[in-house]
Amino acid sequence: MKKILLLFSAIFMLNSCTVGEDDNFHYEILPVASVDIPSEFHKGETYGIKVRYYRPSTCHSFNGFYYDADMNTRTIAIRTIVFEQNNCTPLTDNLLEQYINFYVTGNGPFLFKFWQGKNEAGEDIFLEYEVPVID
């Protein structure tokens, strides 16, 4: 009886993990338009940082933040999921905002680098803020 139950469980799990034809999407990183960030932090506290970005089409949906921590430097961008559909409508002025919570664990200033795209030479450009930590 256990073997039959195990066999059915395995079949169910393998069947639920197949990729169907309806899974037409990809992920895209979008530039940050502007940020509201505190001028100073206090160790042990959590701060909500407001991040604004432009949604390029109706097929783009917010899917979290790209977030990279390296010592006291934080690199942040908007991560979206883009559904590949025929009925996508381009958007021109659809400014949205999301909050990212930052818990201050260390001392010294934190450097936040918000990705704003690439320049003509193909190099990444950032909106940078250095925020001191006050004891």
Side-chain angles (χ1 to χ4, degrees):
M1 186 69 160
K2 288 182 184 178
K3 289 181 183 180
I4 293 173
L5 182 60
L6 182 61
L7 177 64
F8 280 121
S9 297
I11 290 171
F12 176 74
M13 287 189 328
L14 289 175
N15 213 14
S16 66
C17 292
T18 59
V19 177
E21 292 181 20
D22 295 335
D23 296 335
N24 294 326
F25 64 89
H26 65 274
Y27 296 97
E28 189 174 311
I29 301 295
L30 296 180
V32 171
S34 64
V35 176
D36 287 345
I37 190 167
S39 59
E40 64 184 31
F41 292 142
H42 294 275
K43 188 175 180 180
E45 293 188 23
T46 300
Y47 295 86
I49 300 170
K50 186 188 300 185
V51 181
R52 293 181 199 84
Y53 67 99
Y54 287 98
R55 182 177 170 209
S57 81
T58 56
C59 289
H60 286 75
S61 292
F62 180 75
N63 189 251
F65 288 96
Y66 167 85
Y67 185 87
D68 181 57
D70 181 22
M71 304 292 286
N72 277 16
T73 301
R74 304 295 185 264
T75 305
I76 301 169
I78 299 294
R79 186 179 65 224
T80 60
I81 186 168
V82 183
F83 297 99
E84 298 166 5
Q85 302 171 343
N86 293 332
N87 61 349
C88 297
T89 304
L91 302 171
T92 54
D93 288 325
N94 191 231
L95 184 65
L96 301 176
E97 56 188 41
Q98 294 289 335
Y99 283 86
I100 186 167
N101 289 322
F102 180 68
Y103 179 69
V104 183
T105 58
N107 294 324
F110 280 89
L111 176 63
F112 289 86
K113 298 171 64 175
F114 295 92
W115 187 73
Q116 291 197 294
K118 294 186 179 279
N119 63 15
E120 295 80 26
E123 301 164 333
D124 292 320
I125 53 175
F126 297 94
L127 182 61
E128 296 186 8
Y129 294 93
E130 187 171 71
V131 182
V133 175
I134 309 298
D135 288 331

